[in-house]
Amino acid sequence: MTPQLPLALRWPRRQRFEHFHPGDNAVAVEAVRAAAVDPSAPWVFLAGPLGSGRTHLLIAACQAAIDAGRTAQYLPLAGLRGSRAVAIRGMAGSDVLAIDDIDSIAGEDDAEHALFDTFNRYRADGCTLLFSATGAPVSLDIALPDLRSRLGSLTQAVLKPLADAERRGVLREQAAARGIELDDVVLDWLFAHHARDLGTLLDLLDTLDRASLAAQRRVTVPFLRNLLKDD
Amino acid sequence: MSDLWRRCLERLEGELSAEDVHTWLMPLQPREDPTGLFLYAPNPYSLDTVREQYLVKIQSIVEHLTGRALPVRLEVGSSGGRPAPMRPASATHASTPASPRAPEAAPEPPHVHNLDPHYTFETFVEGKSNQLGKAAAMQVAMNPGRAYNPLLLYGGTGLGKTHLMHAAGNLLMQNNPGAKVLYLRSEQFVSGMVKALQQKNMDDFKRRFRSVDALLIDDIQFFAGKDTTQEEFFHTFNALFEAKQQIILTCDRYPKELDKLEPRLKSRLGWGLSVAIEPPDFETRAAILLSKAADKGMEVSEDVAMLLARRIRSNVRDLEGALNTLAARANFYRKPITTDFAEETLRDLLNTHAQAVTVPNIQKTVADYYQVRLSDLLSKRRVRSLARPRQVAMALSKELTEHSLPEIGEAFGGRDHTTVLHACRTIRGFCEKDVRMRQDWEQLIRILTG
């Protein structure tokens, strides 16, 4: 018998500020929130490793900007198809532009230049730019010194990943929202055998959500092992 | 927001990633009337992507929600015809064109000067590294077209060239209220020209630039390799120069060292005065910090300013970043900014700056710079071609790291601390007398701390 396919609907990942677990990052969260809603607040450069919540915060910033009556656009450079220089130059007309993963254009001459021009233009227009990368501007391999120094002039918000206990809490909460129960045995196994960063774990939760729905069974370690093997 | 679009978005949020939703769909502004649903994209780039990737899906959801084939139309602009956001000091700035905003702002008509009123000589912190530049910029502002033409300010990024340029423009206008001053970043000149070429109104373009009393163009190093731009700029330059209209330019290096810049343009640039803006020394960095802190309404003691000035040497922008970061944290915790608080807050930031400069790093950089072998630099050989770079490396180690003289001596093949001290004094003396030596020194500092 073929398994029943769930609807092509996903549980939208809720990425507002109120869904962000600040851990040690409360200063960073507040700096990003202020920049999103207040045109006179300083721009922010978010630095943090994968899974530290950079994307969540940038998307939350866009949402908060829209709620405050501003227009906002999110630009993920890492996953973008086509020329990134063209995309960066094309992104005009919003009050807030949140640019994710700028390390992915480091060393790309055209894209760096486009970002430099965009920086100057947004500055002159009194709009807001937010940036994120895996490290501080000086640590990225940005070749254009004019761009690097401009990024260095922003409020530097360094994100620290959540501790294991906090990550467990977030996972459990997100799972509960989807009607999935994750017990300690399952969580122990996930942390030991899968990944520890929250982004990957939350992605897994989406997969799990659909798979356990399709299989109509509880989430256990053998079930997980089987699912991840298929991946 | 249109209720139909809100419900449509809810459906799309369930089917697409949050990233895609916020990149392409949330920025759309809806307007609904009996003839259809209008979606306004912030720019043509977004419009194209939405049309290619999401329009069919949006149409089918709309049809499903309304039970009829309601047309969905995409346009660039905003639903309320809301004007584009104004600059903070809108009264003296150019306002950007109202929506729909063009993706690249064209150079404004000449009566719009683009000057930032915050950049004045009063707010410029003067030190040894920039006093010549400041004096020249003031001269030019007081005697436009006659003192030095063109005035070219050159030096690394984040050292205050743009500030001086705006200050000159602002003072010039203050003294001559009717004067037409035009400030442009080089990229605005280039894109204005490209647009004029496309729309075949080069005459307007030429007229616009040649009718100003002072033309200020920032970062002309970006003209390199753009032949048509250089050609046009060359003619603009000549026209302004002959009519004794002031030209002020900035560049990230001495223009003669710029590759891909036409020789005839290089020679024109040398007709007036070229002044180097150098990285600020310790005292100036501390003074800049205090001035910027006062500007932001922050209470920063001299001790804190000196702590930051000692650790961050690269450029003024990095100092500003440190100050902004400190402000964010102090505001959040509502704590005064003590040196301990500053140390703690900026640990990550300062570490990146401190880490970048180590003695081995300096030795390698200096060896590369003077094209000598690292092993020779650290050897006992005393030929002049090695002794001088070795002294430079020692003096840089003293200047840029926290190591003691004996430690530095040890790192240079077990030399005595008096040898290091002698090297520091010798190089300092050379820097004061010899321009070439000073340029090497500044360049090395830039390489090591940039």
Side-chain angles (χ1 to χ4, degrees):
Chain A
M1 198 176 89
T2 50
Q4 185 189 352
L5 279 178
L7 281 169
L9 280 180
R10 328 171 350 139
W11 180 264
R13 180 84 58 81
R14 290 178 301 172
Q15 297 187 315
R16 287 172 170 264
F17 283 118
E18 60 263 36
H19 307 124
F20 192 81
H21 293 256
D24 291 334
N25 304 310
V27 178
V29 176
E30 178 50 29
V32 174
R33 199 197 57 75
V37 301
D38 176 3
S40 67
W43 298 3
V44 180
F45 187 97
L46 270 176
L50 281 178
S52 57
R54 289 183 280 130
T55 298
H56 183 151
L57 280 183
L58 290 184
I59 286 180
C62 289
Q63 192 64 57
I66 291 169
D67 292 347
R70 305 178 84 192
T71 55
Q73 192 157 19
Y74 168 76
L75 176 61
L77 289 177
L80 213 61
R81 289 179 290 268
S83 157
R84 292 186 284 198
V86 171
I88 294 168
R89 289 195 190 279
M91 290 287 167
S94 291
D95 299 331
V96 177
L97 178 61
I99 308 179
D100 210 353
D101 292 317
I102 67 157
D103 22 5
S104 68
I105 60 146
E108 222 176 274
D109 195 34
D110 284 356
E112 283 192 10
H113 214 102
L115 198 55
F116 170 72
D117 291 341
T118 298
F119 189 108
N120 292 328
R121 208 176 53 229
Y122 267 71
R123 191 60 106 197
D125 287 347
C127 301
T128 303
L129 283 184
L130 296 166
F131 299 90
S132 108
T134 51
V138 283
S139 72
L140 307 177
D141 292 324
I142 292 177
L144 188 63
D146 307 81
L147 174 62
R148 201 172 52 223
S149 78
R150 274 166 182 74
L151 296 173
S153 72
L154 309 180
T155 298
Q156 305 292 312
V158 180
L159 286 179
K160 296 188 183 75
L162 294 179
D164 274 1
E166 291 169 310
R167 259 179 289 201
R168 278 170 179 263
V170 174
L171 263 186
R172 215 180 246 131
E173 196 185 292
Q174 290 284 327
R178 293 164 167 82
I180 304 172
E181 197 187 325
L182 292 181
D183 59 29
D184 278 338
V185 182
V186 168
L187 283 171
D188 286 343
W189 188 89
L190 267 181
F191 275 66
H193 294 88
H194 187 55
R196 307 178 84 84
D197 80 86
L198 208 47
T200 312
L201 287 167
L202 288 172
D203 284 345
L204 175 70
L205 213 53
D206 286 340
T207 315
L208 206 55
D209 192 8
R210 299 177 58 176
S212 77
L213 196 61
Q216 297 189 333
R217 52 175 291 189
R218 221 159 68 74
V219 177
T220 58
V221 170
F223 176 77
L224 270 179
R225 194 177 284 139
N226 210 14
L227 179 75
L228 292 172
K229 197 174 64 200
D230 287 351
D231 265 7
Chain B
M1 188 191 283
S2 131
D3 185 57
L4 174 60
W5 177 240
R6 189 182 50 73
R7 285 187 296 151
C8 189
L9 263 183
E10 278 169 10
R11 286 292 292 264
L12 290 162
E13 279 184 297
E15 294 183 31
L16 304 168
S17 73
E19 284 87 339
D20 284 343
V21 168
H22 279 86
T23 306
W24 308 116
L25 303 173
M26 289 297 277
L28 300 175
Q29 293 188 44
R31 186 172 63 82
E32 194 187 335
D33 72 20
T35 65
L37 176 64
F38 294 81
L39 297 173
Y40 294 91
N43 47 63
Y45 182 78
S46 300
L47 180 122
D48 290 346
T49 309
V50 173
R51 176 173 289 144
E52 279 165 27
Q53 295 180 21
Y54 303 106
L55 189 57
V56 171
K57 193 180 284 276
I58 293 171
Q59 262 161 342
S60 80
I61 293 176
V62 165
E63 195 174 329
H64 175 81
L65 290 173
T66 59
R68 64 200 176 96
L70 190 68
V72 177
R73 297 216 169 83
L74 283 171
E75 278 172 38
V76 173
S78 77
S79 56
R82 201 168 62 97
M86 300 295 278
R87 299 160 195 244
S90 50
T92 47
H93 272 283
S95 66
T96 43
S99 67
R101 237 193 293 168
E104 189 58 62
E108 286 82 352
H111 63 274
V112 182
H113 51 67
N114 292 337
L115 291 172
D116 186 331
H118 298 104
Y119 287 144
T120 62
F121 288 112
E122 288 75 38
T123 56
F124 188 80
V125 178
E126 185 178 340
K128 246 172 149 174
S129 57
N130 58 30
Q131 59 193 14
L132 228 57
K134 183 186 172 188
M138 282 185 97
Q139 276 292 319
V140 159
M142 290 190 292
N143 302 294
R146 290 194 297 277
Y148 310 110
N149 207 13
L151 172 64
L152 190 136
L153 303 165
Y154 69 92
T157 178
L159 302 180
K161 302 186 298 293
T162 301
H163 188 142
L164 280 179
M165 192 182 218
H166 280 268
N170 281 319
L171 182 61
L172 197 156
M173 290 220 310
Q174 194 184 318
N175 293 342
N176 313 278
K180 283 185 185 171
V181 176
L182 177 60
Y183 165 85
L184 286 179
R185 300 186 303 275
S186 60
E187 136 257 349
Q188 292 176 296
F189 186 88
V190 177
S191 67
M193 201 187 68
V194 170
K195 201 175 239 172
L197 284 170
Q198 278 171 348
Q199 297 171 350
K200 299 194 170 49
N201 53 6
M202 272 308 282
D203 287 346
D204 281 356
F205 179 83
K206 287 178 204 282
R207 211 172 17 249
R208 183 181 307 165
F209 285 99
R210 293 173 196 184
S211 67
V212 299
D213 297 304
L215 179 64
L216 285 52
I217 299 191
D218 215 349
D219 287 327
I220 58 159
Q221 70 270 16
F222 296 127
F223 283 168
K226 298 188 173 88
D227 294 345
T228 318
T229 300
Q230 286 184 32
E231 168 90 25
E232 185 51 39
F233 179 67
F234 177 77
H235 295 305
T236 304
F237 183 101
N238 288 342
L240 290 173
F241 184 85
E242 275 159 29
K244 294 202 172 1
Q245 288 146 315
Q246 182 66 47
I247 303 158
I248 310 180
L249 307 166
T250 72
C251 188
D252 72 343
R253 71 203 78 174
Y254 191 53
K256 290 224 158 68
E257 293 169 13
L258 263 185
D259 293 335
K260 298 183 188 163
L261 196 65
E262 275 194 62
R264 58 177 185 166
L265 191 52
K266 276 188 195 177
S267 108
R268 290 288 189 291
L269 297 178
W271 281 359
L273 179 69
S274 300
V275 190
I277 309 292
E278 289 173 3
D281 54 23
F282 169 73
E283 291 82 359
T284 313
R285 292 199 296 276
I288 289 172
L289 271 166
L290 290 171
S291 153
K292 285 201 179 287
D295 207 37
K296 293 176 198 288
M298 294 169 66
E299 280 189 39
V300 169
S301 69
E302 276 185 28
D303 287 344
V304 170
M306 290 201 294
L307 168 80
L308 296 179
R310 209 162 27 241
R311 305 278 187 90
I312 300 174
R313 301 156 181 274
S314 42
N315 60 57
V316 177
R317 293 210 181 93
D318 283 344
L319 289 175
E320 180 152 20
L323 210 55
N324 281 331
T325 307
L326 208 50
R329 219 174 128 93
N331 288 341
F332 185 82
Y333 291 115
R334 299 182 190 286
K335 278 189 179 171
I337 303 171
T338 59
T339 46
D340 284 349
F341 185 80
E343 282 266 19
E344 186 196 340
T345 305
L346 301 176
R347 195 165 294 140
D348 296 324
L349 202 60
L350 292 177
N351 277 345
T352 10
H353 286 275
Q355 266 169 14
V357 192
T358 60
V359 174
N361 190 348
I362 290 169
Q363 291 168 335
K364 186 175 177 314
T365 306
V366 171
D368 288 349
Y369 188 85
Y370 288 104
Q371 298 180 335
V372 297
R373 280 211 299 262
L374 184 60
S375 57
D376 287 339
L377 191 79
L378 304 181
S379 71
K380 300 280 180 203
R381 295 175 57 200
R382 290 193 193 174
V383 291
R384 205 181 156 78
S385 61
L386 289 176
R388 188 71 74 234
R390 187 182 295 136
Q391 286 180 320
V392 169
M394 285 180 182
L396 282 167
S397 302
K398 184 66 197 142
E399 174 78 17
L400 298 178
T401 73
E402 306 280 324
H403 291 293
S404 64
L405 294 173
E407 282 171 337
I408 294 169
E410 190 54 43
F412 281 81
R415 287 181 158 81
D416 192 71
H417 79 274
T418 54
T419 310
V420 181
L421 189 63
H422 176 70
C424 295
R425 287 181 179 152
T426 309
I427 296 303
R428 197 178 314 134
F430 265 119
C431 283
E432 275 166 23
K433 288 187 305 233
D434 182 354
V435 181
R436 184 78 221 174
M437 182 71 223
R438 195 174 63 235
Q439 282 174 354
D440 287 348
W441 175 259
E442 299 295 356
Q443 181 67 19
L444 278 161
I445 288 196
R446 262 202 294 279
I447 294 169
L448 286 160
T449 59

